[in-house]
Amino acid sequence: MTVVNTIRVNGVDHEIPANWQAKRLLDYLRTELKLVGVKEGCGEGDCGACTVLVDGEPMCSCLLLSGVVGGREVTTIEGLPREYLDKFSSACETHGGVQCGFCTGGVAVMSSWMKNGGTETGVEPVSKLLEGNICRCGGYQQLTNAIADIN
Amino acid sequence: MASALRPSHLPEMDLQCPTNLGDVFRHISNGAQLLAGGTDILLQASVRGEPNKLVWTGGIESMKEFDADSDFIKVGASVPLSTMIKSNAFRDGAPAVADGAQSVGSLQLRNQATMVGNVCTASPAADTVPGLLIHNCVVATIDKENNKREIALKDFLTGPGKTNLGEGELVTCLSFSRLGKNQMSAYQRFTQREALDLAFASVAARLEFEEDGQTLMTVNLALGAVGPTAIDASAAADILKGHPISEGRLDICADAASQLCSPISDHRASAGYRRQLIRALVGDVVRQAATRYGNKK
């Protein structure tokens, strides 16, 4: 039996220590790697604040065990290209897409996935693709407009 | 250094990630529970503090099989819902199942969650189950002595959270039928918000038309979240057979379906409200399937 326990996070390989295998990826990223742009909102897979890309697909890092992600590539908001983050933040500024900012990290990751051609059926609007990111400030329309405005 | 970070809600756990079935069965006999996508079981572990021994099936090559091109669509236990949803062959071949799959959780969760997991969690409100029922789903299982069983989904589900899976037995894959000639299916549910919510009530329908494309030959109906398991309500649709779709017959069918179910009242909806929802959804779903059929022709 082999446990693949290396993960590549934002382009850098990390050995996941044995005591982290059965803990949440969210905690590993925040505590061990200090990638605190990954937020814990609900811890139940609903809010999307902890969204990261695993092999390029958005997932909730609060419902993934570190051991399960062995051998795969994880991208957090810290790993998004600076150029993209600049576009995202200026679009949010223009459209009023940020209030408290807690959901913003997850939304940034999600929007970068969309802008890289991410889709399920090829026809969904931004609002549908953003269904897994809850914003309690009520900024959905602003966020949707901001993301639509990024080119 | 003391950490100001919020600790995980998960209990101390043991995780095994084997790459062959023999090791999976060995861990099961040591008390480990199966972990597929984890979107249900990790939540359960956070809330109840157990299970704290898990064996992940994502490392087993044979469980990653997904074949959407054959007459029977086959999906292994480790295939995430999003992999299925991205397949045109799946969406065209089993629209009601695809509708259900696309209703589950959110995009992020569908990248993790599996259809086999949705079935094995056996929630009465499981979004993929009504569609799977009307697409004649069969559940394939295996145990450590290599005994294999194939069980019709309607017999597999026995109650809320209950299946007839034996001890030490696990589900390897689901297979369900593609639409045949002159057939169409659809699934709809009623929720308070579109994503990240559980169905108050849900209905799946599969229609088969005569050669004229108008007269209904057979109609299969399944109802979700209005009984201990999803309910086969095809008997309620007898009135539709041999006729083109009409509002009058649809009303009678919807009434009959709402009588067949046995909903409970809970924090989400009252039993009476759920019955009303079934009455409304049956008409909506049959009409949606008919419209889809018309658009396809």
Side-chain angles (χ1 to χ4, degrees):
Chain A
M1 189 196 72
T2 51
V3 177
V4 189
N5 58 2
T6 306
I7 53 171
R8 173 166 287 210
V9 181
N10 299 334
V12 181
D13 285 335
H14 297 272
E15 293 272 323
I16 311 171
N19 62 331
W20 278 98
Q21 298 287 334
K23 294 204 167 75
R24 303 184 304 178
L25 177 64
L26 169 70
D27 297 322
Y28 176 70
L29 294 172
R30 287 182 57 90
T31 317
E32 281 288 288
L33 305 188
K34 310 288 184 226
L35 297 171
V36 292
V38 189
K39 302 295 182 196
E40 176 168 13
C42 65
E44 298 183 353
D46 284 338
C47 76
C50 67
T51 301
V52 297
L53 302 180
V54 179
D55 288 343
E57 297 296 327
M59 297 187 191
C60 291
S61 58
C62 72
L63 287 183
L64 281 171
L65 296 181
S66 307
V68 161
V69 210
R72 303 171 83 179
E73 192 163 344
V74 174
T75 309
T76 70
I77 184 171
E78 288 90 345
L80 297 181
R82 183 75 231 177
E83 191 196 348
Y84 178 75
L85 289 172
D86 285 344
K87 282 185 189 174
F88 177 77
S89 59
S90 73
C92 281
E93 203 179 311
T94 307
H95 294 275
V98 176
Q99 288 186 57
C100 84
F102 204 81
C103 72
T104 309
V107 173
V109 171
M110 200 65 193
S111 69
S112 78
W113 174 79
M114 290 180 213
K115 294 298 162 182
N116 280 322
T119 177
E120 272 190 327
T121 59
V123 295
E124 314 98 319
V126 170
S127 56
K128 166 74 177 156
L129 295 172
L130 209 57
E131 67 181 13
N133 294 79
I134 291 178
C135 166
R136 285 294 87 145
C137 300
Y140 294 114
Q141 194 58 58
Q142 291 91 324
L143 280 169
T144 308
N145 293 344
I147 294 170
D149 205 16
I150 301 170
N151 47 45
Chain B
M1 190 184 77
S3 170
L5 300 172
R6 187 178 169 192
S8 166
H9 305 288
L10 283 178
E12 282 293 319
M13 285 204 285
D14 176 60
L15 172 71
Q16 301 292 336
C17 306
T19 52
N20 67 70
L21 269 179
D23 284 338
V24 173
F25 286 119
R26 197 162 50 78
H27 294 301
I28 293 178
S29 59
N30 287 336
Q33 297 249 348
L34 292 167
L35 169 69
T39 56
D40 282 326
I41 203 161
L42 293 181
L43 203 56
Q44 220 181 78
S46 303
V47 175
R48 298 184 198 157
E50 57 176 24
N52 46 23
K53 276 186 181 176
L54 293 174
V55 50
W56 184 54
T57 54
I60 314 290
E61 217 41 56
S62 62
M63 292 201 176
K64 296 179 187 167
E65 187 188 355
F66 174 46
D67 172 12
D69 296 310
S70 311
D71 286 347
F72 264 81
I73 297 172
K74 201 171 165 191
V75 57
S78 298
V79 179
L81 290 168
S82 59
T83 302
M84 304 179 70
I85 295 166
K86 282 174 184 160
S87 153
N88 289 330
F90 164 63
R91 295 203 311 274
D92 293 344
V97 185
D99 291 340
Q102 288 175 81
S103 311
V104 172
S106 66
L107 200 143
Q108 286 93 320
L109 295 181
R110 293 193 292 275
N111 278 324
Q112 302 168 225
T114 65
M115 193 168 280
V116 168
N118 196 225
V119 166
C120 289
T121 295
S123 161
D127 281 315
T128 63
V129 168
L132 285 170
L133 279 178
I134 58 164
H135 277 268
N136 309 313
C137 176
V138 172
V139 182
T141 72
I142 192 168
D143 69 9
K144 67 170 184 285
E145 267 90 46
N146 213 25
N147 298 314
K148 293 176 182 173
R149 289 202 297 159
E150 292 201 335
I151 313 149
L153 178 60
K154 66 175 167 45
D155 301 323
F156 180 76
L157 299 167
T158 54
K162 294 198 176 78
T163 67
N164 81 359
L165 209 54
E167 191 152 335
E169 191 180 25
L170 62 87
V171 176
T172 51
C173 74
L174 305 173
S175 24
F176 45 96
S177 57
R178 293 183 71 79
L179 289 177
K181 197 171 166 250
N182 297 329
Q183 291 185 0
M184 187 44 79
S185 71
Y187 165 86
Q188 284 186 36
R189 61 177 194 168
F190 185 86
T191 46
Q192 210 153 32
R193 64 199 301 287
E194 260 182 56
L196 295 163
D197 206 351
L198 296 177
F200 288 17
S202 62
V203 175
R206 183 167 60 130
L207 314 180
E208 181 174 14
F209 291 91
E210 304 273 7
E211 284 303 325
D212 66 5
Q214 299 289 326
T215 313
L216 286 168
M217 190 149 65
T218 54
V219 180
N220 292 96
L221 276 183
L223 318 176
V226 287
T229 65
I231 295 166
D232 179 353
S234 301
D238 282 344
I239 184 91
L240 299 177
K241 289 183 198 166
H243 303 273
I245 293 171
S246 70
E247 289 305 310
R249 288 184 184 275
L250 218 42
D251 279 347
I252 298 171
C253 167
D255 278 340
S258 73
Q259 291 310 310
L260 276 178
C261 61
S262 53
I264 56 163
S265 295
D266 64 8
H267 61 286
R268 236 176 252 118
S270 69
Y273 185 49
R274 286 194 156 102
R275 250 184 237 284
Q276 289 290 351
L277 286 173
I278 289 295
R279 196 172 282 133
L281 282 169
V282 165
D284 288 352
V285 173
V286 171
R287 277 188 293 265
Q288 187 192 9
T291 306
R292 273 184 185 169
Y293 178 72
N295 292 342
K296 197 180 82 168
K297 266 179 47 177

Coordinates of all heavy atoms in Angstrom, one line a residue, chain B residues 209-248:
Chain B
F209 N -43.1 8.1 -26.6 CA -44.2 8.5 -27.5 C -44.4 7.4 -28.6 O -43.5 6.7 -28.9 CB -43.9 9.8 -28.2 CG -43.9 11.0 -27.3 CD1 -42.8 11.4 -26.6 CD2 -45.1 11.7 -27.1 CE1 -42.9 12.5 -25.7 CE2 -45.2 12.8 -26.2 CZ -44.1 13.2 -25.5
E210 N -45.6 7.4 -29.1 CA -45.8 6.6 -30.3 C -45.1 7.2 -31.5 O -44.6 8.3 -31.4 CB -47.4 6.5 -30.6 CG -48.2 6.0 -29.5 CD -48.4 4.5 -29.5 OE1 -47.7 3.9 -30.3 OE2 -49.2 4.0 -28.7
E211 N -45.1 6.5 -32.6 CA -44.4 7.0 -33.8 C -44.9 8.4 -34.2 O -44.2 9.2 -34.8 CB -44.6 6.1 -35.0 CG -43.7 4.9 -34.9 CD -42.2 5.2 -34.8 OE1 -41.8 6.2 -35.4 OE2 -41.5 4.5 -34.1
D212 N -46.2 8.8 -33.9 CA -46.7 10.1 -34.3 C -46.1 11.2 -33.5 O -46.3 12.4 -33.8 CB -48.2 10.1 -34.1 CG -48.7 9.9 -32.7 OD1 -47.8 9.9 -31.8 OD2 -49.9 9.9 -32.4
G213 N -45.3 10.9 -32.4 CA -44.7 11.9 -31.6 C -45.6 12.7 -30.7 O -45.2 13.6 -30.1
Q214 N -46.8 12.3 -30.6 CA -47.8 13.0 -29.8 C -48.4 12.1 -28.7 O -48.6 12.5 -27.6 CB -49.0 13.5 -30.7 CG -48.6 14.5 -31.8 CD -48.2 15.8 -31.3 OE1 -48.8 16.3 -30.3 NE2 -47.2 16.5 -31.9
T215 N -48.8 10.9 -29.2 CA -49.5 10.0 -28.3 C -48.5 9.3 -27.3 O -47.4 8.8 -27.8 CB -50.2 8.9 -29.0 OG1 -50.9 9.5 -30.1 CG2 -51.1 8.1 -28.2
L216 N -48.8 9.4 -26.0 CA -47.9 8.7 -25.1 C -48.1 7.2 -25.0 O -49.2 6.7 -24.9 CB -48.1 9.3 -23.7 CG -47.6 10.7 -23.4 CD1 -48.2 11.3 -22.1 CD2 -46.1 10.8 -23.4
M217 N -47.0 6.5 -25.1 CA -47.1 5.1 -25.0 C -46.8 4.6 -23.6 O -47.6 3.9 -23.0 CB -46.0 4.4 -26.0 CG -46.2 3.0 -26.2 SD -45.7 2.4 -27.8 CE -43.9 2.8 -27.8
T218 N -45.7 5.0 -23.0 CA -45.5 4.7 -21.6 C -45.0 6.0 -20.9 O -44.4 6.8 -21.5 CB -44.4 3.6 -21.4 OG1 -43.2 4.0 -22.1 CG2 -44.8 2.3 -21.9
V219 N -45.3 6.0 -19.6 CA -44.9 7.1 -18.7 C -44.3 6.5 -17.4 O -45.0 5.8 -16.8 CB -46.0 8.1 -18.4 CG1 -45.5 9.3 -17.5 CG2 -46.6 8.7 -19.7
N220 N -43.1 6.9 -17.0 CA -42.6 6.5 -15.7 C -42.4 7.7 -14.9 O -41.9 8.8 -15.4 CB -41.3 5.8 -15.9 CG -41.4 4.5 -16.6 OD1 -41.2 4.4 -17.8 ND2 -41.8 3.5 -15.8
L221 N -42.9 7.6 -13.6 CA -42.8 8.8 -12.7 C -42.0 8.3 -11.4 O -42.3 7.2 -11.0 CB -44.2 9.2 -12.3 CG -45.0 10.2 -13.1 CD1 -46.3 10.5 -12.4 CD2 -44.2 11.4 -13.5
A222 N -41.2 9.2 -10.9 CA -40.6 8.9 -9.6 C -40.7 10.2 -8.8 O -40.5 11.3 -9.3 CB -39.2 8.4 -9.7
L223 N -40.9 10.0 -7.5 CA -41.1 11.2 -6.6 C -40.0 11.1 -5.5 O -39.7 10.1 -4.9 CB -42.5 11.2 -5.9 CG -43.7 10.8 -6.7 CD1 -44.9 10.7 -5.9 CD2 -43.9 11.8 -7.9
G224 N -39.4 12.3 -5.2 CA -38.3 12.3 -4.2 C -38.7 13.2 -3.1 O -39.6 14.1 -3.2
A225 N -38.2 13.0 -1.9 CA -38.3 13.8 -0.7 C -39.7 13.7 -0.1 O -40.1 14.6 0.7 CB -37.9 15.2 -0.9
V226 N -40.6 12.8 -0.6 CA -41.9 12.7 0.0 C -42.2 11.3 0.5 O -43.4 10.8 0.5 CB -43.0 13.1 -1.1 CG1 -43.0 14.6 -1.3 CG2 -42.8 12.4 -2.4
G227 N -41.2 10.6 1.0 CA -41.4 9.3 1.6 C -40.0 8.9 2.1 O -39.1 9.6 1.9
P228 N -40.0 7.7 2.8 CA -38.7 7.2 3.3 C -37.7 7.0 2.3 O -36.5 7.1 2.6 CB -39.1 5.9 4.0 CG -40.6 5.8 4.0 CD -41.1 6.8 3.0
T229 N -38.1 6.6 1.1 CA -37.2 6.5 -0.1 C -37.9 7.2 -1.2 O -39.1 7.5 -1.1 CB -36.8 5.1 -0.4 OG1 -38.0 4.4 -0.9 CG2 -36.3 4.3 0.7
A230 N -37.2 7.4 -2.3 CA -37.9 7.9 -3.5 C -38.9 6.8 -3.9 O -38.8 5.7 -3.7 CB -36.9 8.1 -4.7
I231 N -40.1 7.3 -4.5 CA -41.2 6.5 -4.7 C -41.4 6.3 -6.2 O -41.4 7.3 -7.0 CB -42.5 7.1 -4.1 CG1 -42.3 7.2 -2.6 CG2 -43.7 6.4 -4.6 CD1 -43.4 8.1 -1.9
D232 N -41.7 5.1 -6.7 CA -42.0 4.9 -8.1 C -43.5 5.1 -8.2 O -44.4 4.4 -7.6 CB -41.7 3.4 -8.4 CG -42.1 3.1 -9.9 OD1 -42.8 4.0 -10.5 OD2 -41.8 2.0 -10.4
A233 N -43.9 6.2 -8.9 CA -45.3 6.6 -9.0 C -45.8 6.4 -10.4 O -46.8 7.0 -10.9 CB -45.5 8.0 -8.6
S234 N -45.2 5.4 -11.1 CA -45.6 5.2 -12.5 C -47.1 4.8 -12.7 O -47.8 5.2 -13.7 CB -44.8 4.1 -13.2 OG -43.4 4.5 -13.1
A235 N -47.6 4.2 -11.6 CA -49.1 3.8 -11.7 C -50.0 5.0 -11.8 O -51.0 4.9 -12.4 CB -49.4 3.0 -10.4
A236 N -49.5 6.1 -11.2 CA -50.4 7.3 -11.3 C -50.5 7.9 -12.7 O -51.3 8.7 -13.0 CB -49.8 8.4 -10.4
A237 N -49.5 7.4 -13.6 CA -49.5 8.0 -14.9 C -50.2 7.1 -15.9 O -50.2 7.5 -17.1 CB -48.0 8.1 -15.3
D238 N -50.9 6.1 -15.5 CA -51.6 5.2 -16.4 C -52.6 6.0 -17.3 O -52.8 5.7 -18.4 CB -52.3 4.1 -15.7 CG -51.4 3.0 -15.3 OD1 -50.3 3.0 -15.8 OD2 -51.7 2.2 -14.4
I239 N -53.2 7.0 -16.6 CA -54.3 7.8 -17.3 C -53.7 8.6 -18.5 O -54.5 8.9 -19.4 CB -54.9 8.8 -16.2 CG1 -56.0 9.6 -16.8 CG2 -53.8 9.8 -15.7 CD1 -57.3 9.0 -16.6
L240 N -52.4 8.7 -18.5 CA -51.8 9.5 -19.6 C -51.5 8.6 -20.9 O -51.4 9.1 -22.0 CB -50.4 10.1 -19.2 CG -50.4 11.1 -18.0 CD1 -49.0 11.6 -17.7 CD2 -51.3 12.3 -18.4
K241 N -51.5 7.3 -20.6 CA -51.1 6.4 -21.7 C -52.2 6.3 -22.8 O -53.4 6.3 -22.5 CB -50.9 5.0 -21.2 CG -49.6 4.9 -20.4 CD -49.4 3.5 -19.9 CE -48.4 3.4 -18.8 NZ -48.5 2.1 -18.1
G242 N -51.7 6.3 -24.1 CA -52.6 6.1 -25.2 C -53.3 7.4 -25.6 O -54.2 7.4 -26.5
H243 N -52.9 8.5 -25.1 CA -53.4 9.8 -25.4 C -52.3 10.9 -25.6 O -51.3 10.7 -25.0 CB -54.4 10.3 -24.3 CG -55.5 9.4 -24.0 ND1 -56.7 9.3 -24.7 CD2 -55.6 8.4 -23.1 CE1 -57.5 8.4 -24.2 NE2 -56.8 7.8 -23.2
P244 N -52.6 11.9 -26.4 CA -51.7 13.1 -26.3 C -51.8 13.7 -25.0 O -52.8 13.6 -24.2 CB -52.2 14.0 -27.4 CG -53.2 13.2 -28.2 CD -53.8 12.2 -27.2
I245 N -50.7 14.5 -24.6 CA -50.8 15.2 -23.3 C -51.9 16.2 -23.3 O -52.0 17.1 -24.2 CB -49.4 15.9 -23.0 CG1 -48.3 14.8 -22.8 CG2 -49.5 16.8 -21.8 CD1 -46.9 15.3 -22.8
S246 N -52.7 16.2 -22.3 CA -53.8 17.2 -22.1 C -53.8 17.6 -20.6 O -53.4 16.9 -19.7 CB -55.1 16.6 -22.5 OG -55.5 15.7 -21.5
E247 N -54.2 18.9 -20.4 CA -54.2 19.4 -19.1 C -55.1 18.6 -18.1 O -54.8 18.4 -17.0 CB -54.6 20.9 -19.1 CG -53.6 21.8 -19.7 CD -52.2 21.7 -19.0 OE1 -52.1 21.8 -17.8 OE2 -51.2 21.6 -19.7
G248 N -56.2 18.2 -18.7 CA -57.2 17.4 -17.9 C -56.6 16.1 -17.3 O -56.7 15.8 -16.1

